[in-house]
Amino acid sequence: DGKKYLDLISGIAVNTLGHNHPRLVQALADQAARLIHVSNLYGITPQIELAEALTTNSCMDKAFFCNSGSEAVEGALKLARLYARQKGYENRSGYVSMKNSFHGRTMGALTATGQKKYQQGFEPMLSGFTYADYNDLASVEAAVTDETSAIVLEPIQGEGGVIPGDPDFLAGCRRLCDERDMTLIFDEVQCGMGRTGAGFGYEASGVEPDVMALAKGLGGGVSIGATLARGAHGKVFGPGHHASTFGGNPLACSAALVICDELFNKGLLEHVRAVGAYLKRGLDGLVGKYDSVVEARGRGLMWGLVINRDCPELVGLLAARGVLGNVAAGRVVRIAPPLIITEAECDVVLEALDGALSELG
């Protein structure tokens, strides 16, 4: 009908530079005209450059490229189990992940996901997974056994309701893994690639994982995922251990290189921090205005506005006001706009939220 909408969810934290950003469009067109796909039987220049960009700007040393967040998590799970085998821990095939987490829809990632609603109908899940309470170190300690190869968690739970990890909790998980020579896996599929105002979600806590999964915003709308590893974990995979036919193809890597350049060289991270702070002030104002609004939690441009009851109808109320929104965990308005959003556009969002909340009652 020709009506315009402001995208507050950006393809679920995917469209880093919004829709049809000219640099991204041009990079894809140029690469498509040169070479779309070859396998890893050959060296792929954009893949090499992307691996360098990601490792240079993070604590990681090596990168394996795939096509999605689920695949990136699957790679991380395989890497942790192989690390244990190579260290002589033959009985270590299990994992501890968090309740209310979300890691993907393939069987390994789905089993790691600590939400029954996503697993229903696909049982039995894979063996070896136990679940702990997020931000509760004692719960994690109780879940770890002699068969645990890795602890898997999101530095900020996204689908679970935008819940930031407490720095002491993350540090405690790091300590547990160090003491027992287990692998610490951070799923940064949603909170990575500048979403929090830092390059990666782990930076806010200063806790460095052994393995990190990326996807979503990495390609700005083009399908790409990455499993990154550091130190001894970066030396685990050898030829033949893991593979992906389409992973790291020239087209996807060219898109991701534009995202990295904007984030790390063109000032986009600074923009996210500034606009994120502006948005936070507006959201805090809504918390004080409506009894139904419990809190605004998050970081950068990853926020959850917590309502005191299930509120799926807010999606329609926002759409009627020209804003495309999303509700996670039943009662959390998830705010994950393109990272290029301006303060003026934040005002549009806040006005729409104000009106929707008023109508919600």
Side-chain angles (χ1 to χ4, degrees):
D1 296 329
K3 183 175 180 179
K4 293 183 178 181
Y5 292 87
L6 192 150
D7 189 354
L8 190 58
I9 194 62
S10 59
I12 312 183
V14 166
N15 296 310
T16 307
L17 302 180
H19 297 272
N20 297 347
H21 190 283
R23 279 201 68 195
L24 190 58
V25 170
Q26 190 64 54
L28 289 168
D30 290 346
Q31 185 60 53
R34 287 195 299 271
L35 188 66
I36 293 176
H37 173 77
V38 291
S39 74
N40 279 323
L41 295 173
Y42 312 101
I44 301 172
T45 299
Q47 184 182 120
I48 295 167
E49 293 174 348
L50 180 58
E52 289 175 340
L54 291 173
T55 55
T56 297
N57 290 286
S58 74
C59 64
M60 297 289 143
D61 300 322
K62 296 287 182 67
F64 172 86
F65 294 107
C66 51
N67 309 285
S68 68
S70 292
E71 289 179 55
V73 170
E74 293 283 352
L77 296 175
K78 286 180 67 176
L79 194 155
R81 187 173 285 184
L82 186 58
Y83 173 81
R85 295 292 195 278
Q86 291 178 353
K87 294 296 290 287
Y89 308 124
E90 293 297 328
N91 65 325
R92 288 192 180 182
S93 58
Y95 308 89
V96 173
S97 61
M98 304 299 132
K99 296 174 184 176
N100 295 316
S101 60
F102 184 84
H103 297 292
R105 303 282 189 162
T106 50
M107 285 306 297
L110 183 62
T111 306
T113 294
Q115 298 193 59
K116 290 290 186 183
K117 65 180 180 180
Y118 294 112
Q119 300 172 346
Q120 188 173 359
F122 301 104
E123 302 90 343
M125 294 292 102
L126 302 183
S127 62
F129 285 79
T130 56
Y131 307 94
D133 295 322
Y134 193 64
N135 279 334
D136 184 341
L137 186 59
S139 178
V140 176
E141 291 173 332
V144 169
T145 71
D146 292 339
E147 297 180 354
T148 303
S149 68
I151 296 173
V152 187
L153 59 86
E154 301 157 90
I156 299 179
Q157 287 192 333
E159 198 72 29
V162 191
I163 305 171
D166 182 88
D168 290 339
F169 169 72
L170 299 179
C173 290
R174 174 72 274 173
R175 185 175 62 255
L176 265 178
C177 288
D178 289 341
E179 290 171 353
R180 303 186 184 214
D181 198 15
M182 299 183 302
T183 300
L184 181 61
I185 300 171
F186 277 7
D187 178 345
E188 297 222 10
V189 168
Q190 189 166 155
C191 68
M193 297 309 298
R195 175 58 54 187
T196 66
F200 305 95
Y202 74 82
E203 295 181 54
S205 65
V207 176
E208 297 180 350
D210 300 305
V211 182
M212 181 167 65
L214 298 174
K216 287 193 181 291
L218 176 59
V222 177
S223 297
I224 185 171
T227 305
L228 306 183
R230 69 182 179 98
H233 288 81
K235 301 173 183 177
V236 170
F237 279 161
H241 280 138
H242 196 46
S244 171
T245 297
F246 294 106
N249 68 73
L251 195 66
C253 287
S254 293
L257 280 169
V258 172
I259 303 302
C260 288
D261 190 45
E262 290 289 331
L263 284 173
F264 303 123
N265 302 321
K266 303 296 186 183
L268 186 56
L269 286 176
E270 291 80 0
H271 174 82
V272 172
R273 289 193 287 270
V275 177
Y278 181 86
L279 181 59
K280 179 184 185 303
R281 290 193 292 272
L283 294 174
D284 285 342
L286 295 176
V287 175
K289 184 174 182 179
Y290 294 99
D291 291 339
S292 60
V293 183
V294 178
E295 65 172 325
R297 61 193 182 202
R299 196 175 295 128
L301 286 173
M302 183 177 181
W303 290 95
L305 193 65
V306 184
I307 311 302
N308 62 6
R309 61 179 173 84
D310 284 354
C311 55
E313 62 269 40
L314 270 175
V315 173
L317 295 176
L318 288 172
R321 291 165 171 79
V323 171
L324 301 178
N326 171 256
V327 173
R331 57 181 61 192
V332 181
V333 182
R334 179 163 47 179
I335 299 168
L339 303 188
I340 59 170
I341 192 171
T342 65
E343 290 186 1
E345 289 164 337
C346 286
D347 288 338
V348 173
V349 169
L350 292 166
E351 182 179 351
L353 281 168
D354 194 356
L357 288 167
S358 178
E359 189 172 343
L360 182 69

